[in-house]
Amino acid sequence: MCQVASVVCLPKLSRVAVCGGTHGNELSGVYLVRELVKVDKKAVEKKAEEEEPASVLMVLSNPRAIQQGQRYVDTDLNRCFTHAILNGPMLDTAPYEMIRSRELNGMLGPKGSPEAVDLVCDLHNTTANMGLCLIAYSDCDWICLHIFRHLQVSQTSIPLRYIHFDVSNKESYSLDSVGKHGFAMEIGAQPHSVVRSNIYTAMKLGVQHMLDWVRSFNSGRIFEGGFVDVFTMVKHIDYPRDSETQNITAAIHPQLQDRDFCLLHPGDPLFQTFSGETLTYKGHQPLYPFFINECAYYEKGIALSLARRKRVMVPAIRVQTEQEQRANEPRYTSEEEE
């Protein structure tokens, strides 16, 4: 990475992967990837004549789960991309998703290597009322943050947020972590095993705008800097449970339901027990709730997640020239050396 006159110069994004069906019952991404595969090749080539092209790979990540209409077959594929799982011993009896994660790592990675694709966009749906979110492991990945800024300007019909999971590269567990840059595009609310046209359309526009930005970046355009509000995940909160049976004893309070990213203050209603009692938030500081009452997280013991918001200054960026790229070839350190 180089800086010239306060403009950060970054390598060209030559290879982009758009992935759907990492969770087999999140259908917007499944149908969108299938639709994008049908795109007329001539139309893609015609556009590439006008702007610097990027190779775009469309991937249905978890074909068995898609076929069965389930989130996963044996275990959650989107938790199978840690260093330990990708590089540790693998038995013949390993869960299908662990085997599939290695196949995807071979296709899109290897994770942390110079051969990895430049950008992974993994498509997801949530049952929570979160609008369109980009979820990434970095709050200083200028590519991801500039894509987010572009979506904010281009897609004003849906709320947009940038969520940051502060997890190391070795411990990052989701498919998007395989690329040099990556994020999950999470859109809701949509029930699982259902496709809603408005949610599908928002995802389709988001992917189109993302690919337009990549082509424009590769063509040499300078993107001006600015500020982005980043929501960094602080902690998860589980449902109240019976100490003997571990069954949940309360649901999300009606005053909190569907209020993702609305500030939660100490003393605000959090849960309503099945006997009718209101349980309040006992935290020491206001935080922003998200993934409120996400259907898929009941099994994970997560009723909602809480984030802290901060404003990040994003610098102006442009693509490196060939000369700059040769002078700034990155030295990749293998994960074994870390």
Side-chain angles (χ1 to χ4, degrees):
M1 187 173 71
C2 69
Q3 273 194 306
V4 178
S6 77
V7 177
V8 177
C9 310
L10 297 169
K12 177 181 171 183
L13 303 172
S14 300
R15 299 166 60 222
V16 177
V18 178
C19 306
T22 300
H23 295 134
N25 60 355
E26 296 178 10
L27 296 187
S28 294
V30 173
Y31 286 112
L32 179 54
V33 167
R34 287 174 176 169
E35 181 64 24
L36 292 173
V37 169
K38 297 178 185 176
V39 172
D40 184 8
K41 187 177 180 181
K42 290 183 178 179
V44 175
E45 290 175 346
K46 183 177 179 182
K47 187 160 192 175
E49 291 173 2
E50 303 168 4
E51 298 178 274
E52 189 71 16
S55 171
V56 182
L57 179 63
M58 305 296 176
V59 181
L60 287 174
S61 310
N62 196 337
R64 287 192 191 177
I66 293 169
Q67 185 179 30
Q68 296 179 19
Q70 298 177 348
R71 180 176 175 84
Y72 54 78
V73 177
D74 294 321
T75 192
D76 191 337
L77 176 59
N78 219 31
R79 301 298 183 271
C80 290
F81 294 91
T82 63
H83 170 81
I85 291 175
L86 293 177
N87 298 283
M90 184 71 70
L91 301 175
D92 293 338
T93 56
Y96 163 69
E97 278 81 7
M98 287 191 179
I99 297 171
R100 180 60 177 160
S101 70
R102 292 199 173 190
E103 294 173 353
L104 290 165
N105 189 49
M107 183 191 309
L108 305 178
K111 178 176 176 176
S113 76
E115 291 77 31
V117 297
D118 297 298
L119 176 65
V120 174
C121 172
D122 192 26
L123 305 174
H124 288 268
N125 289 121
T126 173
T127 61
N129 187 35
M130 287 171 54
L132 190 159
C133 296
L134 298 193
I135 305 176
Y137 290 108
S138 174
D139 60 355
C140 58
D141 185 319
W142 309 138
I143 293 292
C144 295
L145 286 160
H146 267 281
I147 289 172
F148 177 76
R149 279 168 53 80
H150 180 67
L151 295 183
Q152 281 185 310
V153 173
S154 305
Q155 204 162 344
T156 57
S157 61
I158 186 170
L160 278 87
R161 282 101 177 187
Y162 189 99
I163 300 173
H164 167 223
F165 284 0
D166 190 10
V167 177
S168 71
N169 180 262
K170 275 191 175 184
E171 296 302 318
S172 57
Y173 47 76
S174 54
L175 174 56
D176 52 278
S177 70
V178 172
K180 294 186 181 76
H181 308 273
F183 55 81
M185 184 179 290
E186 186 92 44
I187 307 185
Q190 175 174 285
H192 295 320
S193 301
V194 168
V195 59
R196 291 180 53 182
S197 61
N198 63 320
I199 299 297
Y200 170 86
T201 299
M203 181 176 284
K204 183 177 181 180
L205 289 172
V207 171
Q208 289 174 342
H209 291 315
M210 180 269 294
L211 293 175
D212 287 342
W213 185 91
V214 169
R215 295 185 185 105
S216 185
F217 171 77
N218 286 343
S219 72
R221 176 181 166 186
I222 296 176
F223 291 89
E224 297 301 324
F227 291 95
V228 170
D229 286 333
V230 172
F231 292 87
T232 299
M233 199 277 288
V234 175
K235 62 180 178 179
H236 304 300
I237 293 181
D238 192 7
Y239 294 92
R241 295 181 181 272
D242 183 279
S243 59
E244 294 182 2
T245 66
Q246 292 303 303
N247 292 330
I248 66 172
T249 58
I252 294 292
H253 195 278
Q255 292 181 30
L256 178 60
Q257 181 63 50
D258 298 327
R259 290 179 56 81
D260 296 75
F261 299 104
C262 295
L263 200 57
L264 181 68
H265 294 87
D268 284 350
L270 185 60
F271 296 108
Q272 189 173 71
T273 69
F274 297 136
S275 61
E277 179 186 359
T278 293
L279 305 179
T280 60
Y281 172 50
K282 303 298 185 183
H284 300 295
Q285 59 180 323
L287 293 170
Y288 292 88
F290 65 102
F291 278 127
I292 297 175
N293 205 13
E294 162 59 45
C295 168
Y297 288 175
Y298 276 72
E299 69 177 29
K300 299 182 186 300
I302 299 174
L304 68 156
S305 300
L306 293 174
R308 183 177 295 110
R309 187 176 71 175
K310 65 178 178 181
R311 182 154 285 190
V312 173
M313 176 61 193
V314 182
I317 67 170
R318 66 166 171 84
V319 70
Q320 286 178 346
T321 65
E322 290 184 8
Q323 182 179 1
E324 288 168 341
Q325 192 156 1
R326 285 194 299 269
N328 292 275
E329 286 292 341
R331 178 189 179 274
Y332 283 85
T333 301
S334 68
E335 292 182 330
E336 286 77 6
E337 293 179 86
E338 291 180 358

